[in-house]
Amino acid sequence: MGSEATMAQSEHLIKLLGMWASPFALRPRIALNLKSIEYEYSDENPRAKSDLLLKSNPVHNKVPVLLHCGRPICESLAILQYIDEQWRFGPSILPSDPYDRAIARFWAAYIDDKVPPAMLGMKAQSEEARAEAMEKVKMEFEMMEKVFKDLSRGGGFFGGEQIGYVDIALGSFLGGVRVFESFSGVKLLDEEKTPGLVGWAERFCAHEAVRDVMPKTDKLLEFAMKAFFHQAC
């Protein structure tokens, strides 16, 4: 695997445009780490986007963007699939079985459809709206607790014995979960209702492909507070 990885690295320039606090930009970093692929990382300023970003993603003007041989691939889930198909050495991100692959894609799309809106709702001005959003987030994690039991098949991750597509999709939001729990004192993942996810979250964040790129809770909390203050003003 090492020789193949070295060959891929020497032949093709790989650049990732991201933003350290973005859960979506975190996903390709984890995937590239899983594959042991070297890449150049560029952290974008969301208030002063680079010309390269605007040129590479003219439709949405947002991160992440993976540049491979100068060709841009946009949207985090599409990038994960590209990485898995382009570099077949190392751990697989998507399951090899077509049915399992379709199921993984379904749940990753479900996560993106349900989790971000619910978590954003927890920033609402009114206490009532925040409480309602919190309940939605808890419901989604309780749903994913059931999914974890089905997909993991007794393993430590949604992908079984190793991190896979659904792990990366959901795990990218764990930084935000920790920030909210730290700020509010309310547990979104708890041993009573989501025991499987509690253990999964610890394993995911401790994994060698994740631990060095997962944003620190205190830094994320500071970032969130500044963003909230700026919005309020």
Side-chain angles (χ1 to χ4, degrees), residues 76-118:
S76 63
L77 294 181
I79 294 173
L80 294 185
Q81 295 177 44
Y82 180 84
I83 291 170
D84 201 36
E85 293 169 4
Q86 179 65 36
W87 295 284
R88 295 189 177 277
F89 53 79
S92 296
I93 295 169
L94 278 157
S96 58
D97 180 79
Y99 177 79
D100 291 341
R101 193 181 308 127
I103 295 301
R105 284 173 172 154
F106 171 86
W107 284 114
Y110 177 91
I111 289 165
D112 276 5
D113 184 52
K114 300 292 185 180
V115 175

Side-chain angles (χ1 to χ4, degrees), residues 1-122:
M1 184 186 79
S3 60
E4 291 179 86
T6 303
M7 185 181 300
Q9 294 157 12
S10 62
E11 290 181 354
H12 305 297
L13 175 63
I14 304 162
K15 186 180 181 75
L16 179 65
L17 307 182
M19 193 272 166
W20 71 270
S22 166
F24 302 103
L26 176 63
R27 291 171 174 177
R29 300 193 75 181
I30 294 171
L32 290 165
N33 288 347
L34 277 174
K35 295 280 190 178
S36 298
I37 298 170
E38 291 185 2
Y39 62 98
E40 179 186 345
Y41 176 72
S42 178
D43 200 67
E44 291 283 331
N45 183 344
R47 296 180 186 172
K49 297 176 182 179
S50 70
D51 291 339
L52 181 58
L53 174 59
L54 299 177
K55 178 183 176 181
S56 301
N57 190 355
V59 176
H60 298 299
N61 300 152
K62 65 181 182 180
V63 297
V65 176
L66 181 73
L67 292 159
H68 182 211
C69 300
R71 298 183 300 176
I73 303 97
C74 306
E75 299 297 326
S76 63
L77 294 181
I79 294 173
L80 294 185
Q81 295 177 44
Y82 180 84
I83 291 170
D84 201 36
E85 293 169 4
Q86 179 65 36
W87 295 284
R88 295 189 177 277
F89 53 79
S92 296
I93 295 169
L94 278 157
S96 58
D97 180 79
Y99 177 79
D100 291 341
R101 193 181 308 127
I103 295 301
R105 284 173 172 154
F106 171 86
W107 284 114
Y110 177 91
I111 289 165
D112 276 5
D113 184 52
K114 300 292 185 180
V115 175
M119 292 187 71
L120 284 173
M122 294 191 298

